[in-house]
Amino acid sequence: MEGDIFSGIGNGTQVDGKVLQTFRKSFGQVQDILDQNRLLINEINQNHESKVPDNLTRNVGLIKELNNNIRRVVSLYADLSSSFARSVESSSEGESPAALRSDGKASQKRIRSG
């Protein structure tokens, strides 16, 4: 299944395992945050519907937590986008995908032809 998603990057080269692992880790973090957001939204809605003053006051903190989680998701997606672009760029320039570090940044290694 992983070959379906990432095998056609660049000039048909395979994505390095570390890059794939970074993507999986980041997508896992995003999913965890989104799951947490779903729970927060449910609690916020219940508190709002109850109209109990303490519950409405609690919503202030819950909404702040929700906003921070959304910022984290945006940041993770931005990092994923940058990492993906670097891996595609390095593949198309003939750089070994293995030359990408686990943080998605390219090292200075180049493959010699011939």
Side-chain angles (χ1 to χ4, degrees):
M1 181 173 187
E2 64 194 46
D4 296 341
I5 298 172
F6 295 109
S7 64
I9 294 177
N11 294 327
T13 59
Q14 291 287 330
V15 173
D16 180 74
K18 288 183 181 181
V19 173
L20 186 58
Q21 183 178 6
T22 300
F23 287 140
R24 283 190 177 143
K25 179 183 174 189
S26 295
F27 282 124
Q29 289 173 326
V30 166
Q31 188 60 53
D32 289 344
I33 295 169
L34 294 176
D35 290 342
Q36 183 182 6
N37 284 357
R38 184 180 337 101
L39 296 175
L40 285 170
I41 290 167
N42 288 337
E43 186 175 350
I44 290 166
N45 286 336
Q46 289 173 356
N47 290 345
H48 181 72
E49 290 172 3
S50 76
K51 306 233 188 275
V52 174
D54 287 343
N55 289 348
L56 295 173
T57 301
R58 177 166 164 68
N59 273 359
V60 173
L62 294 174
I63 291 168
K64 286 180 181 178
E65 184 178 349
L66 181 65
N67 285 335
N68 286 332
N69 286 352
I70 292 168
R71 283 187 197 96
R72 288 173 47 206
V73 168
V74 168
S75 176
L76 285 166
Y77 276 134
D79 292 346
L80 273 169
S81 177
S82 295
S83 294
F84 185 76
R86 280 191 299 271
S87 67
V88 170
E89 183 179 291
S90 64
S91 293
S92 66
E93 291 175 357
E95 186 171 314
S96 168
L100 293 177
R101 300 188 313 230
S102 62
D103 61 4
K105 296 180 180 175
S107 68
Q108 297 301 316
K109 292 182 181 179
R110 305 268 309 166
I111 295 178
R112 293 183 186 178
S113 58

